Amino acid sequence: MTYAGLAVGAVAGALVVALVVARVRRLGRRWWAATALAAVVLVALTVVFDSLMIAADLFRYDDAALVDVRLWLTPVEDLAWPVVAALLLPALWALVGDDGRGEVDA
């Protein structure tokens, strides 16, 4: 399996979870905007810090398993993980957290 295949599967799974939770909890545009902003910030930080770590030769990728599209030195496949985090963490928080009634779901 390539890095891209794994990344697409992870993002697709996280997106399905986020869509289901948003529908069940009736989360609106404000929630999606906050989630998108978090994703943008996490992707930007990932590009910067992954590029610095790659430049410092802290780790390497198998070039045969990469799509060969890079932002600075960061392979585009690496950007899937901050997107997954930005989708899943707020969705899970909305699912198990405060629903606005002052009570926390157990």
Side-chain angles (χ1 to χ4, degrees):
M1 174 173 274
T2 64
Y3 296 129
L6 184 62
V8 167
V11 170
L15 184 59
V16 166
V17 170
L19 288 170
V20 168
V21 169
R23 179 91 168 159
V24 167
R25 290 299 227 164
R26 295 186 182 106
L27 303 172
R29 292 178 191 208
R30 190 172 175 197
W31 184 83
W32 283 107
T35 300
L37 178 63
V40 168
V41 169
L42 288 173
V43 165
L45 289 170
T46 299
V47 168
V48 170
F49 288 105
D50 272 16
S51 293
L52 292 173
M53 289 186 291
I54 291 168
D57 203 26
L58 294 177
F59 58 89
R60 296 180 186 154
Y61 291 96
D62 178 14
D63 288 331
L66 293 174
V67 175
D68 204 29
V69 176
R70 294 179 184 261
L71 294 175
W72 196 3
L73 297 176
T74 304
V76 73
E77 294 92 340
D78 245 10
L79 303 179
W81 310 116
V83 172
V84 167
L87 286 170
L88 274 183
L89 294 175
L92 294 176
W93 184 280
L95 188 63
V96 300
D98 186 4
D99 64 357
R101 294 182 292 169
E103 301 173 359
V104 177
D105 297 339

